[in-house]
Amino acid sequence: MASTKDWFETVAEARERARKRLPKSVFLALHAGSEAGRTLADNTAAFAELGLRPRIADLPATREQATTVLGQEISMPVICSPTGVQAVDPGGEVAVAKAAAASGTAIGLSSFASKPIEDVVAANDKTFFQVYWQGSRDSMIARMDRAKQAGAKGLIVTLDWVFATARDWGAPPIPEKVDLKAAITFAPQVLVKPGWLARYVRTRRLPDLTTPNLAEAGAQGPTFFGAYGEWMGTQPPTWADLAWLREQWDGPFMIKGIYRPDDAKRAVDIGATAISVSNHGGNNLDSTPASIRALPGVANAVGDQIEVLLDGGIRRGSDVVKALALGAKAVLVGRAYLWGLAANGERGVHNVLEILRQGIDSTLYGLGRKSIHELSPEDVVVPGDFTRGM
């Protein structure tokens, strides 16, 4: 269907609409990658290096995309990745949860989210709660207990971050809280984006930069930067720490940030249910090759002992198919749905997910595959140096 005011045809169009709607600092915060942005760029460029091997006859009349991840049945192999404070739209994580539910898929909720987990689970019962190794063990247990009581179906532990915040192009200024001083400082950016401002005016609420899931239910929680500071100040975990964390959660358990085959095997050893091959969307150690380059080595190392997902650079349904053909069971998307959220709120997120669904379907058709479960490496043309020795 052709693009309209309320519908767009590609993720690239969602990004452009987000750029036009958002204040400059807010958009740059979504777009940012660490240091020179080499990994950010390679996450998407690597998919373009992979070719597809189409068929021309005996093509399937219908194609199946449904699968199961972390014990949850989903209608397509795409999950909304956990991302921090989603102040690009007043609906935030609740809007994302509703859109994912409408598309029959799951959402990962960041512990740095701006909406309480209780509200998000109410909007989508296929919610996984994401945590960092942050604070005391008692505080981690309290967060996990709250998530269990709210109905979270699984735990995602994010480990791919080295706090490299310096960027060659400059980091966008972001206030710690939205108060009078911040309003004055950012007024020149906000006033030239009346559509974004109008959304908040209609709700009679300012953008919320606090993290309610790091406090007791009903409490406001620290600011994003306060939470970030606690995370930075916590001693990094050992594998023994991660084994302990696994013991505290009696449901599905994913480790996000796996890149090396040996780390993937360690995740199996501690009893993880799933891993995500990820470089934090290009926001971790710059010059790390794209996630999709690391995927084959990780998938081959663990076989079917653990669910393998991929996170990073997904912009099209064909990208999803390439990832599945090289060993992923599903993918996590981040920037793509955030651009949809910024462009058109809940409907924009649903729009992005359906773009990916349509792209998966047409790619399966072209490859002559009736199901995502039939995909294999022979469906993809992989250059000889693609994995770069990983």
Side-chain angles (χ1 to χ4, degrees):
M1 62 184 293
S3 295
T4 67
K5 179 182 177 182
D6 295 320
W7 194 261
F8 40 82
E9 291 189 287
T10 66
V11 172
E13 188 174 352
R15 179 186 181 279
E16 181 60 16
R17 292 193 187 191
R19 185 189 68 80
K20 290 180 178 179
R21 181 178 289 270
L22 293 175
K24 182 178 180 180
S25 292
V26 179
F27 178 75
L28 289 177
L30 290 186
H31 176 69
S34 62
E35 297 185 340
R38 295 184 182 93
T39 298
L40 174 66
D42 196 42
N43 269 353
T44 53
F47 279 102
E49 295 178 24
L50 294 170
L52 295 167
R53 302 178 65 196
R55 300 178 187 273
I56 60 167
D58 296 327
L59 303 182
T62 58
R63 281 74 57 191
E64 178 57 56
Q65 297 188 34
T67 190
T68 302
V69 174
L70 291 176
Q72 296 302 300
E73 295 181 359
I74 52 178
S75 71
M76 60 190 295
V78 179
I79 294 169
C80 291
S81 185
T83 64
V85 176
Q86 295 177 6
V88 299
D89 182 85
E93 294 84 1
V94 171
V96 174
K98 290 179 178 179
S103 288
T105 192
I107 174 179
L109 178 70
S110 173
S111 56
F112 285 12
S114 61
K115 302 294 184 184
I117 186 169
E118 293 80 7
D119 294 353
V120 174
V121 172
N124 187 337
D125 63 358
K126 295 176 181 177
T127 295
F128 309 128
F129 185 59
Q130 177 272 342
V131 297
Y132 297 101
W133 184 263
Q134 173 190 353
S136 68
R137 289 192 172 196
D138 286 344
S139 66
M140 293 180 209
I141 290 173
R143 277 175 224 137
M144 290 188 288
D145 285 346
R146 179 180 169 188
K148 288 178 185 177
Q149 292 173 13
K153 297 299 192 296
L155 192 73
I156 300 175
V157 184
T158 298
L159 299 172
D160 52 344
W161 188 272
V162 296
F163 307 108
T165 57
R167 301 183 175 101
D168 288 7
W169 46 270
I174 301 173
E176 182 164 3
K177 59 182 178 179
V178 180
D179 53 15
L180 180 59
K181 180 180 178 182
I184 293 172
T185 300
F186 288 88
Q189 292 186 36
V190 174
L191 292 176
V192 297
K193 303 293 183 178
W196 183 79
L197 178 60
R199 293 189 189 191
Y200 281 96
V201 171
R202 285 194 292 269
T203 63
R204 299 182 180 180
R205 297 180 62 183
L206 295 172
D208 191 351
L209 303 182
T210 60
T211 55
N213 295 305
L214 294 178
E216 294 181 1
Q220 185 177 50
T223 65
F224 176 84
F225 288 108
Y228 188 84
E230 181 186 49
W231 178 26
M232 289 182 66
T234 303
Q235 185 72 21
T238 64
W239 277 106
D241 290 327
L242 296 175
W244 170 84
L245 192 66
R246 176 63 180 115
E247 292 172 356
Q248 310 312 306
W249 183 270
D250 58 4
F253 183 96
M254 177 193 293
I255 294 181
K256 183 175 179 293
I258 295 291
Y259 217 80
R260 300 165 54 110
D262 55 347
D263 279 344
K265 292 177 181 178
R266 295 296 294 270
V268 173
D269 291 342
I270 69 166
T273 310
I275 54 176
S276 177
V277 180
S278 171
N279 52 45
H280 214 95
N283 276 297
N284 192 33
L285 192 63
D286 202 23
S287 295
T288 300
S291 299
I292 189 69
R293 300 189 194 278
L295 175 63
V298 170
N300 289 335
V302 298
D304 60 1
Q305 299 177 83
I306 194 169
E307 294 179 359
V308 178
L309 286 81
L310 177 118
D311 182 356
I314 299 293
R315 302 291 183 266
R316 299 170 180 83
S318 59
D319 296 339
V320 180
V321 170
K322 291 172 182 178
L324 270 55
L326 292 182
K329 188 170 188 181
V331 303
L332 296 156
V333 295
R335 286 185 179 86
Y337 82 76
L338 289 174
W339 290 331
L341 181 65
N344 198 20
E346 177 186 334
R347 182 171 171 80
V349 178
H350 180 61
N351 192 159
V352 164
L353 292 173
E354 293 308 306
I355 287 170
L356 295 176
R357 187 196 305 277
Q358 292 163 13
I360 295 168
D361 184 71
S362 60
T363 307
L364 288 174
Y365 179 76
L367 294 174
R369 298 299 193 186
K370 64 182 180 181
S371 167
I372 59 171
H373 303 291
E374 293 183 346
L375 292 167
S376 73
E378 69 181 35
D379 292 310
V380 184
V381 181
V382 183
D385 63 345
F386 180 74
T387 62
R388 297 184 178 175
M390 289 186 290

